[in-house]
Amino acid sequence: MRRGWGGVHPEDVAMCLEVDTFPFVMAAARTDGHLVLRPVGPGRPGPGAAQSPA
């Protein structure tokens, strides 16, 4: 957000700073002018995986 990236919600930043909340990590990258998050590493959710309520 400090770098001026549009489309980043302040609550997303707070969630990103929570440690060990989920068994996977998300990598952020610019794709076609958009910030895209993708799960990476062991334990990442597969396609169609159920999300647990926050």
Side-chain angles (χ1 to χ4, degrees), residues 20-38:
D20 297 332
T21 301
F22 303 101
F24 59 92
V25 298
M26 300 291 284
R30 283 277 180 192
T31 302
D32 297 326
H34 300 280
L35 188 59
V36 178
L37 293 173
R38 290 193 174 87

